[in-house]
Amino acid sequence: MSATQVLGTDPVRPPVRRAATPGRGWGRVEALLTVALLGLYLGLGQWVVREVHVVGFTSLRRFADALHVVGEPLRAEQVLAADPTPLATVLTMPLTVVPGAVTSLAAVPVGSALAATGVVLALHRALGHASPGRLTHALLLLGIALNPLVLLYATSGDALLLAPALVLAAMACLDSYRRRGDLRALLLAGGALALASLADPRLVIVPLVLGAGIFLAQRRSRHPRVVAGAEGTLAALLSPTVALLALWAAVGTLLAGRPVAWLAAPGALRGPAGEGDLGAAEAWGQTVEALALAAPLVILVLVGLVVRSVRHHAPDAAVLAALLVTTCCLPALTAVVSGGAQVQVREAVLPLLVATAGAGLLLGRDATGRGGHAPKGRRLRRVAATGAVAVLLVTWPTTWHLMRTSEHQVLEAAFVRAVETGRSQEGALTPSGNRIGYGPEARTSRFLRDLDPGRRGVLVDPEVGYPVLVGTARPDWFRDHPGTAGWRAAALDPAAAGVRYLLLTADPASDRLAALHPLAAAGLDPSLRVVHRSERYVLVEPVAGAADGGWAP
């Protein structure tokens, strides 16, 4: 008994023609597609990050963590145990090998370009099985690859597309298991979902949803052998996730004292900060707005999946519908449960858009049921594929409008302005009031590189100093462990602790070091002399023999 009999397909007549299955001829196509996509995303990424300065500080934080792990192996486990996205940090580590590429930010868009390429290649593989026709195939890929939000997060260095790429890979493996009954594909799907949960902790729920759906489908099967194997299928799908999370919990317990340190880390279950906490009604309203403008295909595909599930008794459509509903609800649910930030456009749209593309392909392939090879079935498939292409292409201008006007965003409006005007966004404000750009960090980093403060020569609060650390690519220069007694002692009496410089900001509310020396940033602390000042940072050095009248206990 094969798995194709479990998920509702015809066990006698395969639903996919043999010629449609990717084989030897697809290797050259995929190689060319990979080169073209990487070239596009990397080229545009260099312009976005280095020329128009549209770069997120979450990307710089990830590079700072990666530099710590590479440069200080003894701290590696501690850094990763408390990292909300440890997989992204681990994959960033090879990008820090060339210090010049880090300090110039040339390495920043490489990871996001690779993740976006993985998303499109996974869709290409799924399209190869679906065989909607070459023109439709190309247009569907184009609709995703050049979507404005995909372009932004493929080129700005953000790790947002990493988790959707892994979810798509898992969906492709599950499709292979459904068609061929290959247990290895099921295990690979579980592994991809486990890694996705380390790229985005909210996705821990995805393997549970998929596992429950497949388990229920198998338990309802008319074939005794399929029913008897339901528990084994569920175990094969969930065991990689359970094993990986148990391992990471053990690491968190040993090194951070908390088994879920990475889940409890700032930003683990919430997006970038917004304008206050959300109520349930407001969170759902923001999610619906993002779906309506940036991913309207979600609604159409969800209706189609439900209709097919009910009309044709197709368990695969029901499982896919459950997954789609989960991805739609996840941003609003996590915002409400965590009492956190606004539902950002970036959080709500990109995973949904990727899931929508996969659902649309499955709907186009299976909507005609067993008559898919008859002329009428081919016409229906062509109509469905044409509709998906049309909606994806129409989504471009509506997404562009949402990126320009939404109040719940990070870099979207800056990216739109940069593309429309070709001008640098250095110093521009986001709707939440944060400044865009890297100029002050770059100037402070250059000053430190010329100064060469030496090992542990700069005391800094890591919550505000990590962009400067990235600009130097020298984590060994910084003392940035505020959780230790030694850090506070050095902060209260820098000269006695052998600290050569203190890196401060003008905001004591977010900078613990500036809060201890409230007069230093203004140059009014007689014990600390200002040696460098930029728009966001002030570098001071202890004055030998001066009485410290500026620190606050």
Side-chain angles (χ1 to χ4, degrees):
M1 187 69 59
S2 70
T4 58
Q5 294 170 305
V6 176
L7 298 179
T9 57
D10 191 339
V12 178
R13 184 178 183 179
V16 180
R17 288 170 292 180
R18 188 164 187 165
T21 303
R24 186 178 302 175
W26 286 80
R28 184 178 301 175
V29 175
E30 292 176 345
L32 292 174
L33 184 61
T34 301
V35 172
L37 289 171
L38 280 178
L40 170 66
Y41 293 146
L42 287 175
L44 185 58
Q46 296 300 315
W47 179 78
V48 167
V49 172
R50 303 179 65 191
E51 299 295 329
V52 297
H53 300 167
V54 179
V55 57
F57 275 49
T58 55
S59 305
L60 301 181
R61 182 57 184 264
R62 190 175 71 254
F63 267 84
D65 289 342
L67 285 167
H68 272 303
V69 173
V70 173
E72 303 175 282
L74 295 179
R75 286 191 63 205
E77 294 86 353
Q78 184 179 0
V79 171
L80 292 176
D83 191 340
T85 58
L87 180 63
T89 301
V90 169
L91 295 179
T92 301
M93 289 166 54
L95 304 180
T96 65
V97 172
V98 182
V102 177
T103 58
S104 66
L105 302 189
V108 169
V110 175
S112 59
L114 289 170
T117 301
V119 167
V120 179
L121 286 176
L123 292 175
H124 168 67
R125 177 64 63 163
L127 280 167
H129 289 294
S131 188
R134 292 184 179 180
L135 178 61
T136 303
H137 186 136
L139 290 175
L140 286 172
L141 287 179
L142 188 70
I144 295 298
L146 299 185
N147 180 276
L149 273 173
V150 173
L151 283 176
L152 168 59
Y153 289 105
T155 58
S156 61
D158 201 283
L160 183 66
L161 291 173
L162 176 59
L166 291 167
V167 172
L168 277 178
M171 292 173 62
C173 292
L174 287 175
D175 187 55
S176 178
Y177 170 71
R178 182 182 69 87
R179 291 180 295 103
R180 301 174 183 174
D182 188 352
L183 184 60
R184 291 173 300 179
L186 188 63
L187 292 172
L188 287 174
L193 293 174
L195 292 175
S197 67
L198 293 183
D200 185 347
R202 301 173 304 170
L203 296 181
V204 171
I205 194 174
V206 170
L208 300 178
V209 171
L210 290 174
I214 295 174
F215 177 78
L216 292 176
Q218 291 183 327
R219 294 292 293 180
R220 292 182 177 182
S221 173
R222 294 173 296 177
H223 305 283
R225 290 178 58 188
V226 172
V227 174
E231 289 81 2
T233 301
L234 182 63
L237 182 63
L238 296 184
S239 57
T241 299
V242 173
L244 190 57
L245 294 185
L247 174 63
W248 217 253
V251 172
T253 302
L254 292 174
L255 300 175
R258 292 175 296 171
V260 289
W262 60 290
L263 281 174
L269 293 177
R270 58 191 294 174
E275 306 85 4
D277 293 346
L278 279 182
E282 189 179 359
W284 290 110
Q286 291 177 8
T287 302
V288 170
E289 178 188 8
L291 285 174
L293 292 177
L297 189 60
V298 167
I299 301 171
L300 300 178
V301 169
L302 185 58
V303 171
L305 289 171
V306 172
V307 169
R308 182 176 185 273
S309 175
V310 173
R311 183 176 179 181
H312 298 288
H313 304 287
D316 55 337
V319 172
L320 192 54
L323 175 62
L324 193 53
V325 169
T326 301
T327 57
C328 289
C329 297
L330 206 52
L333 285 174
T334 52
V336 172
V337 171
S338 65
Q342 306 287 324
V343 177
Q344 303 285 334
V345 171
R346 51 168 269 137
E347 295 291 341
V349 174
L350 282 181
L352 299 176
L353 191 58
V354 173
T356 298
L361 298 178
L362 289 175
L363 181 63
R365 181 183 65 191
D366 293 337
T368 56
R370 301 183 182 183
H373 300 291
K376 181 179 179 180
R378 287 196 296 268
R379 285 195 298 269
L380 288 175
R381 291 178 63 193
R382 193 176 297 117
V383 168
T386 302
V389 168
V391 173
L392 282 177
L393 297 182
V394 169
T395 297
W396 289 2
T398 59
T399 301
W400 194 258
H401 173 75
L402 181 66
M403 293 169 67
R404 180 191 288 114
T405 60
S406 175
E407 297 180 357
H408 316 301
Q409 57 165 282
V410 183
L411 299 174
E412 285 81 358
F415 179 76
V416 169
R417 290 194 300 267
V419 172
E420 290 179 343
T421 65
R423 298 175 183 173
S424 171
Q425 298 302 300
E426 181 70 43
L429 291 176
T430 66
S432 60
N434 296 319
R435 289 200 176 274
I436 293 175
Y438 185 69
E441 289 76 12
R443 287 187 286 275
T444 304
S445 299
R446 283 196 297 269
F447 183 84
L448 282 174
R449 291 200 301 270
D450 295 337
L451 194 63
D452 191 6
R455 181 173 177 81
R456 299 290 184 266
V458 181
L459 189 68
V460 64
D461 182 349
E463 294 302 321
V464 297
Y466 60 86
V468 177
L469 185 152
V470 173
T472 64
R474 292 294 301 270
D476 57 304
W477 284 355
F478 296 85
R479 295 191 190 187
D480 54 356
H481 314 298
T484 63
W487 185 91
R488 182 172 177 84
L492 294 177
D493 192 354
V499 173
R500 295 185 61 187
Y501 302 97
L502 286 77
L503 184 61
L504 311 172
T505 68
D507 183 13
S510 60
D511 186 348
R512 285 166 285 189
L513 192 58
L516 291 173
H517 300 278
L519 303 178
L524 302 177
D525 190 334
S527 66
L528 296 172
R529 181 170 62 90
V530 175
V531 297
H532 173 78
R533 185 184 298 274
S534 66
E535 292 88 336
R536 285 197 281 263
Y537 295 94
V538 179
L539 189 68
V540 300
E541 66 175 349
V543 177
D548 189 352
W551 66 269

